[in-house]
Amino acid sequence: MNVLLVDDSRLARTELRHLLQAFPDVTVIGEARHAAEARTRLQELRPDLLLLDIHMPGETGFELLASLEVAPHVVFTTAYDEYALRAFEVNALDYLLKPVQESRLAAALEKARAKLLAPAEAAPALPAPPPASEPAATLLTEHDQVFVKDGERCWFVRLADIRLFEINGSYTQIYFEQHRPLIPRTLQHLEQRFDPRVFFRANRQQIINLKWIEGIEPWFSSTLKIRLRGGPEVEVSRQQSVRFRELLSL
């Protein structure tokens, strides 16, 4: 598990490095003193886990996360206890108060391991897509986390946990857990960023996560209706029904 430390205090970073030596499967691959430096390190190193301070010069840890389109798993390390609720609203794995205790750090690392090692849910696999105009590295995988903000609320969500993207006026609505936030993105933009082996454009209005399919039934005029776990049902257009059968049939 590769870890990036982000804290403006050199002493705090040194202490975390010392504590992490007790975990042989953890490697500290870099450090950052502030948000701007952290953004550069994240792009260069792509860590599995971010140990992130909240109060730093320039931007806070929350502001850093809000600026990222994709982020690793996050554990906050801070001297302030009043931000715990906000931390969990952005899906942080844990919230550690300084001075960080080894037992609490161990528990946070175990949560990170569980997330990183969780087996992917069984789902039909699509053939590899033809070469795209953009480099493959620009695609977001199902294991990536994305930052979602709707009004005053925000979340870090694994793409694997999102079952549906649906046009709602000039916005796109995202379905995960019980939440339905709206984001200012078009389906076309999202479709270009997603792995087509996991996310399928069912019709002009909706993109579905194939791993959330619970049932499929024939529908009118040779189309299909797909039932997603947790809802809703999605009617696949005639053209996309043909493509769906071609891609997933034996």
Side-chain angles (χ1 to χ4, degrees), residues 55-164:
H55 285 283
M56 297 181 291
E59 299 171 71
T60 67
F62 290 116
E63 289 171 326
L64 167 63
L65 295 181
S67 72
L68 301 176
E69 191 170 62
V70 180
H73 296 295
V74 175
V75 171
F76 283 104
T77 59
T78 178
Y80 304 88
D81 61 3
E82 63 262 36
Y83 301 103
L85 178 59
R86 185 177 176 188
F88 290 111
E89 285 180 348
V90 298
N91 285 355
L93 293 181
D94 213 331
Y95 188 92
L96 307 183
L97 288 175
K98 297 176 182 177
V100 175
Q101 302 298 311
E102 184 174 331
S103 60
R104 288 287 294 115
L105 179 60
L109 293 174
E110 188 56 39
K111 292 177 184 178
R113 287 189 195 93
K115 289 287 188 180
L116 292 168
L117 298 177
E121 296 181 40
L126 295 179
S133 56
E134 293 186 6
T138 64
L139 287 178
L140 300 176
T141 74
E142 61 183 305
H143 304 295
D144 284 323
Q145 285 185 292
V146 293
F147 182 77
V148 176
K149 186 176 188 300
D150 185 358
E152 295 301 314
R153 299 205 62 187
C154 50
W155 303 262
F156 264 122
V157 191
R158 271 199 326 154
L159 279 176
D161 295 331
I162 300 176
R163 59 185 180 271
L164 176 69

Side-chain angles (χ1 to χ4, degrees), residues 165-175 181-188 201 204-206:
F165 297 85
E166 182 176 58
I167 290 177
N168 188 329
S170 57
Y171 289 81
T172 292
Q173 192 159 31
I174 301 177
Y175 288 67
L182 295 168
I183 61 171
R185 291 285 187 271
T186 66
L187 281 190
Q188 182 178 2
R201 183 70 175 263
R204 294 182 62 184
Q205 304 291 318
Q206 296 166 313

Side-chain angles (χ1 to χ4, degrees), residues 33-47:
R33 298 162 295 173
H34 45 72
E37 192 173 34
R39 271 189 286 273
T40 300
R41 295 287 182 269
L42 285 166
Q43 291 178 354
E44 293 172 347
L45 304 173
R46 297 187 64 82

Side-chain angles (χ1 to χ4, degrees), residues 163-168 171-175 186-188 190-191 194 199-210 224-228 231-237 240 243:
R163 59 185 180 271
L164 176 69
F165 297 85
E166 182 176 58
I167 290 177
N168 188 329
Y171 289 81
T172 292
Q173 192 159 31
I174 301 177
Y175 288 67
T186 66
L187 281 190
Q188 182 178 2
L190 296 174
E191 187 178 18
F194 293 160
F199 294 94
F200 180 78
R201 183 70 175 263
N203 51 56
R204 294 182 62 184
Q205 304 291 318
Q206 296 166 313
I207 294 175
I208 62 172
N209 185 335
L210 294 173
L224 299 170
K225 183 195 284 188
I226 292 176
R227 184 172 66 257
L228 301 176
E233 293 183 335
V234 174
E235 294 181 20
V236 185
S237 69
Q240 291 302 89
R243 181 168 178 265

